[in-house]
C-alpha cells in the first residue's frame, strides 16, 4: 500500500533528523512514562518547578561541558570547582562580611582563573585534558576541605538565597500573568525563527519543509511552550534561576550558531589540524573554552550554595558525571565537532526527569544509578548506530549526508575520524541549526 505524501514527509522528517530530535522524542516518552507511573504527580505545577530548581546547576554545567566536548576534550574537575568556588564565596560573605554584589564577580573571576590554569596546560603544554582536569578534581576538592576546615559553613544572606529559591513578581492575583506573557513572547519568537529558517533555505535553493509541515511544527511548539508556561504560572511563576537558565541557553545557542567564535569551536573539534591550517587559532580557542567552563562552574557553585544555604565539603560530588552524561545523551560525539546547546539542555532534562520520577515512585538509589547508566549507554549506542547509518547512506561512502533537509550541520563523527587521519576536514563547518 502506497503511503500518502504527508506520511512520506513525516517519515523522511523523522529519518533525516533522528540525530537532532531523537532525544527530544525520548524525553517526551520518559515524561509520559513517569507521568503514568507517578499517578500524575510528575507534571503537577509544584513538581515541574522543583525539577527546574533541583537541576539548575547541572543545566549550567551541561552547557559549558557541551562546548568542551565539541572541541574534543573532557573536564572532570567541574564538581570540585563548584565546591571550591561555592565554599570560597560563602566564606567571603559569612566570615569576611563582604556584600554579595562584590562576592559574585569575585567568584566568577575565580572560576575564570581556574579555567585559565587548566586551559593553559591543555592548550599550550598539550597535556591531555583528562589528566589535567583529573588533577584539577583532586586539587580543588582538597582546596575546598582546606577553606571549609572540613565543616559546613552558613547561612548565606537572604538576597543570595533568593537567587536559587525565589520567583519573579506576578503583579496580579490568580495565574502568574508575567509568566504567561513571557511564554507567549517565547512562542512567537520560536515560530518566527522556524519560518525564517524555512525562508532562508528556500532562498538558497535548499530542501525545506512544506508550508503545511512548518505550520504543524509551529502549532506543536506553541502548544508545548504555553502548556509549560501555564504549569509554572499556576504555581508561583518562573523561578529566578529559571530566568537565568533561559538567558544562558539563548545566549550560548546564539554563540554557537551565529558567531565566528562558535564556528571556530566546531572547527577545532572537527579537525584541529585543518582548522589551524585555515587560520583558526586553535590553542586560543581551546584555552577560552576552558576559561568559559570555569566561569560557568563558579556560577553553578554560587547557585548550589545558595540553594543549600550553606557550603559543604561534599558539594558538587558527581556533578561532573551528570554534566558529561547530559552532553552525551543530548547528542555530543566523543570524537568532537558535534553537539548543540539545546541538546545538552535536553540531555540534562532527561537526567533530571528520571531522577525526579524514580524518587517519586520510591526506587532505590542503587536502581536509579543502574538505570541512568543504561540510558547513557543507550544514548552513545544510538550515536554510533546513527553514524553507521549515515555513513552507509553515502554514495561510495565518501560524500557527507546531511542530517536533515538543508541542514548545514558539521560532519558526523565517523567522517571526522577519517578526516582527522588525513587532515582533509573542512576547516570551519557550519554550526547545526
Amino acid at each position: 500500500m502506497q503511503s500518502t505524501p504527508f506520511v512520506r514527509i513525516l517519515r523522511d522528517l523523522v529519518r533525516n533528523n533522528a540525530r537532532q530530535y531523537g532525544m527530544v522524542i525520548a524525553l517526551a516518552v520518559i515524561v509520559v512514562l513517569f507521568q503514568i507511573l507517578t499517578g500524575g504527580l510528575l507534571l503537577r505545577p509544584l513538581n515541574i518547578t522543583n525539577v527546574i530548581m533541583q537541576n539548575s546547576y547541572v543545566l549550567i554545567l551541561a552547557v559549558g561541558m557541551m562546548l568542551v566536548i565539541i572541541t574534543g576534550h573532557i573536564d572532570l574537575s567541574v564538581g570540585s570547582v563548584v565546591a571550591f568556588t561555592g565554599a570560597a564565596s560563602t566564606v567571603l560573605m559569612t566570615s569576611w562580611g563582604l556584600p554579595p554584589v562584590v562576592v559574585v564577580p569575585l567568584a566568577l573571576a575565580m572560576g575564570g582563573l581556574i579555567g585559565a590554569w587548566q586551559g593553559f596546560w591543555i592548550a599550550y603544554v598539550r597535556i591531555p585534558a583528562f589528566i589535567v582536569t583529573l588533577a584539577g578534581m583532586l586539587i580543588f576538592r582538597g582546596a575546598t576541605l582546606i577553606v571549609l576546615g572540613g565543616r559546613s559553613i552558613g547561612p548565606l544572606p537572604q538576597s543570595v538565597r533568593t537567587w536559587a529559591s525565589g520567583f519573579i513578581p506576578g503583579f496580579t492575583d490568580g495565574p502568574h500573568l508575567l509568566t504567561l506573557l513571557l511564554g507567549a513572547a517565547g512562542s512567537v519568537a520560536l515560530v518566527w525563527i522556524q519560518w525564517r529558517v524555512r525562508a532562508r533555505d528556500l532562498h538558497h535553493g535548499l530542501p525545506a519543509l512544506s508550508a503545511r509541515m512548518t505550520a504543524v511544527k509551529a502549532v506543536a511548539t506553541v502548544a508545548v511552550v504555553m502548556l509549560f508556561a501555564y504549569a509554572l504560572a499556576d504555581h508561583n511563576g518562573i523561578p529566578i534561576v529559571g530566568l537565568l537558565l533561559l538567558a544562558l541557553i539563548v545566549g550560548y545557542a546564539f554563540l554557537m550558531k551565529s558567531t565566528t567564535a562558535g564556528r571556530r569551536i566546531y572547527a577545532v573539534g572537527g579537525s584541529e589540524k585543518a582548522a589551524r591550517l585555515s587560520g583558526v587559532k586553535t590553542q586560543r580557542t581551546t584555552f577560552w573554552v576552558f576559561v568559559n567552563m570555569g566561569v560557568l562552574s563558579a556560577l553553578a557553585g554560587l547557585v548550589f550554595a545558595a540553594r543549600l544555604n550553606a557550603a559543604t565539603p561534599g558539594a558538587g560530588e558527581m556533578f561532573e558525571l551528570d554534566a558529561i552524561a547530559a552532553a552525551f545523551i543530548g547528542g555530543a560525539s566523543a570524537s568532537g565537532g558535534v553537539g548543540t546547546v539545546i541538546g545538552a539542555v535536553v540531555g540534562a532534562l532527561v537526567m533530571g526527569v528520571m531522577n525526579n520520577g524514580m524518587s517519586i515512585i520510591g526506587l532505590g538509589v542503587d536502581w536509579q544509578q543502574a538505570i541512568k547508566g543504561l540510558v547513557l549507554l543507550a544514548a552513545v549506542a544510538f550515536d554510533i548506530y546513527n553514524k553507521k547509518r549515515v555513513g552507509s547512506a553515502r554514495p561510495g561512502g565518501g560524500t557527507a549526508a546531511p542530517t536533515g533537509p538543508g541542514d548545514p550541520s558539521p560532519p558526523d563523527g565517523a567522517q571526522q575520524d577519517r578526516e582527522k587521519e588525513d587532515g582533509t576536514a573542512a576547516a570551519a563547518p557550519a554550526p547545526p541549526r
Side-chain angles (χ1 to χ4, degrees), residues 310-404:
T312 63
E317 288 182 350
M318 304 290 285
F319 280 15
E320 59 277 353
L321 298 185
D322 284 342
I324 292 169
F328 282 123
I329 290 173
S333 171
S335 55
V338 175
T340 63
V341 172
I342 300 300
V345 173
V346 171
L349 288 177
V350 167
M351 299 284 288
V353 170
M354 288 179 58
N355 283 334
N356 185 266
M358 289 188 290
S359 298
I360 291 176
I361 62 177
L363 210 59
V365 176
D366 46 357
W367 279 102
Q368 291 188 28
Q369 296 292 338
I371 291 173
K372 285 193 294 184
L374 289 173
V375 170
L376 176 59
L377 185 62
V380 176
F382 173 76
D383 177 62
I384 294 173
Y385 163 77
N386 201 50
K387 288 175 185 173
K388 292 180 179 177
R389 183 182 64 82
V390 173
S392 63
R394 297 173 189 148
T399 304
T403 56

Side-chain angles (χ1 to χ4, degrees), residues 13 17 20-21 188-211 213-215 217-218 221 253-254 257-258 403-409 431-433:
L13 184 68
N17 294 276
Q20 283 184 286
Y21 301 123
V188 171
L190 290 173
V191 170
W192 178 77
I193 290 172
Q194 290 171 3
W195 284 95
R196 186 170 174 268
V197 168
R198 179 177 181 275
R200 186 190 62 187
D201 290 345
L202 291 174
H203 177 73
H204 292 290
L206 297 171
L209 290 179
S210 66
M213 285 303 300
T214 306
K217 190 177 175 182
T221 301
F254 177 79
K257 284 184 178 180
S258 306
T403 56
D407 192 348
S409 298
R433 290 184 306 182

Side-chain angles (χ1 to χ4, degrees), residues 51-52 55-64 245 249 344-346 348-349:
V51 169
I52 295 174
N55 294 279
S56 55
Y57 30 88
V58 176
L59 282 161
I60 294 171
L61 293 174
V63 171
L245 285 171
I249 293 166
V345 173
V346 171
L349 288 177

Side-chain angles (χ1 to χ4, degrees), residues 51-74:
V51 169
I52 295 174
M53 298 174 82
Q54 288 172 356
N55 294 279
S56 55
Y57 30 88
V58 176
L59 282 161
I60 294 171
L61 293 174
V63 171
M65 188 64 75
M66 179 60 89
L67 270 61
V68 171
I69 292 175
I70 287 175
T71 57
H73 297 289
I74 200 79

